[in-house]
Amino acid sequence: MSFLDNFFNQWGSEMAIDLGTANTLVAIPGEGIVLNEPSVVAIDANSNRVLAVGYEAREMIGRNPGNIIVERPLSDGVIADYDVTEAMLSYFINKANPRRHIWTPKPRIVICIPCGVTSVEKRAVFEATIQAGARQAFLLEEPMAAAIGAGLPVDEPTGSMVVDIGGGTTEIAVISLGGIVAFRSLRVAGNELDDAVMRHVRDVYGLHIGNRTAEDIKIAIGSAMPISTGELDMEISGRDITTNLPRTEVVQSEDIRDGIRAPLQEIVVAIKDAFNETDPDLAADIIRNGVLLTGGGALLKMLDVLLTQELEVPVYVSDTAFSNVVEGCARALENPEALRRSYTQK
Ligand code: ADP
Ligand code: MG
């Protein structure tokens, strides 16, 4: 390491970023999570200027006039729009910097990527991070970051299994001795469940609802199994599909459960596949240690119960499901071995 690198590292200008399809989190070692905002950008279609990022941009979804485009620059976990991702990252990095009003060296950044992305996709995240203002960038695979963040013994010769259900993708990985030994990544996660709720409410209640209402329903009363504390209902408003007039209806958790059964089953099958592919000794470790369920989608009611029953392995929900990935990236900053194993460029 050069003298300058040493000097900058001493200064402590470091950042960890969880660049998610739904939400972006930024943590600074020693300070914790300093930013947590939706991964959304609003752009003026005429001038191509960025109008708003994060919370402010999300408020515009569904309310934007034709000349304003509101987009999520990441879809299915990878960069769909490079320039907009870079603009978003640059905004978040600047906003998260506690000393942004005085000159500070550019930060060293650890940022996460989904498992199994192509080298072109990795390079895109790397370049966007550098262009957005990083001095050095290290890319860490999401399930590995989640496992480190949750405090699993990733470097030990024992198998740990992580299932991270985000907005766009579900990432399933078996980890041992600091590496990922088996993984599955599927494009069925929170957004698919929202779409399923939307279709089901249309079919069963004859109501047309928007994406945000569908997500609200999923979070409030959605469940993977009968709810142990009692079934729930919720009053919602939408547009009647035949009369086109606004109408209010009370929806039941049993109905919502029927609606999301198919996408949930796809997630179950993928986890079973990954588990069945795992070497018997590692599988024995996982049976003993259990499976960690993380990411926002892990919070779906009764999902842990469904998975425990289907896999016949204890599955538990992390109580820090939203922050495991960014915490793991932050811990990797202090772990030269983890950085050495990550994707980077000199
Ligand atoms: P990403 O890593 O892709 O940014 P997150 O880990 O932030 O995603 O999770 C976002 C997803 O979690 C969204 O689809 C959201 O609807 C879902 N979610 C958040 N809270 C809950 C909840 N209580 N129950 C079910 N799903 C939830
Ligand atoms: Mg995530």
Side-chain angles (χ1 to χ4, degrees), residues 309-329:
Q309 181 180 309
E310 290 272 348
L311 299 173
E312 298 179 67
V313 172
V315 177
Y316 60 97
V317 183
S318 166
D319 46 21
T320 48
F322 278 110
S323 57
N324 286 335
V325 170
V326 78
E327 294 286 0
C329 289

Side-chain angles (χ1 to χ4, degrees), residues 21-301:
T21 335
N23 299 298
T24 298
L25 283 79
V26 180
I28 295 181
E31 295 185 35
I33 296 170
V34 294
L35 183 142
N36 179 0
E37 297 206 33
S39 310
V40 181
V41 182
I43 298 156
D44 182 328
N46 302 324
S47 64
N48 253 337
R49 224 162 42 87
V50 170
L51 298 175
V53 182
Y55 280 115
E56 210 186 317
R58 190 180 58 181
E59 283 310 303
M60 298 182 180
I61 292 180
R63 304 193 174 101
N64 47 314
N67 61 325
I68 299 179
I69 301 168
V70 187
E71 69 169 64
R72 294 185 177 274
L74 295 133
S75 73
D76 301 329
V78 298
I79 294 183
D81 186 328
Y82 182 87
D83 291 333
V84 176
T85 303
E86 189 197 305
M88 182 176 82
L89 265 178
S90 163
Y91 174 89
F92 284 146
I93 290 171
N94 188 50
K95 191 171 180 185
N97 181 355
R99 293 182 289 264
R100 62 181 169 278
H101 300 302
I102 54 167
W103 184 87
T104 44
K106 290 178 170 183
R108 221 156 73 111
I109 293 180
V110 171
I111 187 164
C112 65
I113 43 161
C115 261
V117 299
T118 65
S119 54
V120 173
E121 288 165 335
K122 277 187 194 162
R123 209 179 154 84
V125 175
F126 180 85
E127 290 297 336
T129 311
I130 296 290
Q131 290 303 322
R135 174 166 50 91
Q136 279 181 302
F138 302 89
L139 274 48
L140 198 61
E141 284 163 318
E142 253 159 36
M144 178 60 84
I148 296 173
L152 298 187
V154 294
D155 291 319
E156 309 284 312
T158 182
S160 301
M161 188 167 185
V162 177
V163 176
D164 179 348
I165 307 179
T169 56
T170 295
E171 307 260 314
I172 303 154
V174 176
I175 296 168
S176 177
L177 287 170
I180 291 177
V181 292
F183 78 87
R184 278 278 193 295
S185 175
L186 74 159
R187 296 178 173 195
V188 178
N191 298 343
E192 286 280 326
L193 298 184
D194 299 345
D195 292 347
V197 168
M198 214 154 73
R199 281 193 302 270
H200 203 68
V201 168
R202 191 190 53 211
D203 295 348
V204 174
Y205 297 94
L207 262 195
H208 183 73
I209 55 169
N211 242 298
R212 282 174 62 172
T213 305
E215 184 180 17
D216 289 346
I217 297 173
K218 173 189 73 178
I219 292 175
I221 65 168
S223 69
M225 298 262 290
I227 306 173
S228 52
T229 50
E231 295 298 341
L232 300 166
D233 59 36
M234 178 179 177
E235 192 178 277
I236 59 156
S237 303
R239 219 154 25 78
D240 188 288
I241 54 167
T242 43
T243 65
N244 239 352
L245 295 172
R247 182 156 62 83
T248 299
E249 185 83 56
V250 176
V251 294
Q252 308 292 332
S253 51
E254 291 96 324
D255 284 333
I256 301 305
R257 187 154 63 241
D258 283 340
I260 59 176
R261 188 156 287 148
L264 278 184
Q265 202 49 40
E266 285 187 59
I267 295 176
V268 169
V269 168
I271 303 174
K272 278 186 180 168
D273 283 350
F275 189 69
N276 291 339
E277 235 176 54
T278 305
D279 168 276
D281 286 337
L282 288 177
D285 295 337
I286 294 167
I287 292 169
R288 201 169 40 247
N289 300 335
V291 174
L292 176 79
L293 197 54
T294 185
L299 303 177
L300 182 75
K301 293 179 191 25

